[in-house]
């Protein structure tokens, strides 16, 4: 589904990522974990094309997308949910979802709103509400729903738990698991919330100082002592 090999990337002449490699299989939920400031979000921005990979390659469904623009990767099926959710606060829920369907060349056609509302019924109830007036959890749901409208093959979730109440984090986790299982969508998630990581992750990578330093199995992810070694407590 997705693989990155030997990735070096950063800002200007400052390289944050050093020889990073990961893979995600069809329908799999994989997390990249680590403390603040180790390069996780930089990596996600590089995968979607917001930052250029200075070295290495990114393959998506056997196509080399390393040099593609971010919007081309999105059209190929990469659904990116940025840190902080990235909703348009002055637009309604429905208008935010409409923007999501425009990622496809046939974006003028009716988007897959019914699918989004099936997984996130709160969004249908509040479709005329301004996104900026919603809670953090509702904005997180909207950001995932907006991506889902474009029929992605993989979800790239950057800190989906940020600014979200703990009980809503668990609800979002269950929805993400259902989306992945029922629609066959792979998930690559950057996260520090131990509960969410343990709830949905099938395997993981640990990042520190811009490099992958460990691979974690499902059993290791469920081990609180292992997780304490790598997450900010």
């Amino acid at each position: 589904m997705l693989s990155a090999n030997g990735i070096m990337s950063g800002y200007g002449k400052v390289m944050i990522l050093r020889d990073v490699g990961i893979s995600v299989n069809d329908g799999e939920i994989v997390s990249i974990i680590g403390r603040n400031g180790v390069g996780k979000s930089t990596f996600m921005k590089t995968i979607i094309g917001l930052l250029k990979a200075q070295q290495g390659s990114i393959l998506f469904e056997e196509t080399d997308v390393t040099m593609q623009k971010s919007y081309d990767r999105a059209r190929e099926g990469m659904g990116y949910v940025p840190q902080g959710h990235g909703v348009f606060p002055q637009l309604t829920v429905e208008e935010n979802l409409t923007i999501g369907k425009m990622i496809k060349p046939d974006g003028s056609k009716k988007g897959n709103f019914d699918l989004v509302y099936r997984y996130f019924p709160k969004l249908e109830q509040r479709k005329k509400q301004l996104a900026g007036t919603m809670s953090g959890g509702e904005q997180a749901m909207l950001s995932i729903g907006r991506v889902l409208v474009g029929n992605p093959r993989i979800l790239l979730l950057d800190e989906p738990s940020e600014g979200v109440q703990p009980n809503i984090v668990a609800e979002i986790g269950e929805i993400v698991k259902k989306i992945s299982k029922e629609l066959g969508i792979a998930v690559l998630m950057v996260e520090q919330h131990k509960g969410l990581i343990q709830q949905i992750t099938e395997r993981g990578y640990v990042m520190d100082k811009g490099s992958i330093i460990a691979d974690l199995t499902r059993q290791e992810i469920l081990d609180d002592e292992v997780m304490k070694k790598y997450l900010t407590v």
Side-chain angles (χ1 to χ4, degrees), residues 40 59 80 129 174 202 212:
K40 304 186 303 297
L59 300 180
Y80 174 59
Q129 182 174 339
E174 285 303 312
E202 297 171 18
I212 298 296

Side-chain angles (χ1 to χ4, degrees), residues 13-31:
K13 295 182 179 180
V14 179
M15 291 296 102
I16 304 297
L17 304 178
R18 302 181 183 279
D19 195 29
V20 175
I22 64 101
S23 66
V24 183
N25 298 318
D26 284 347
E28 189 177 33
I29 301 178
V30 176
S31 287

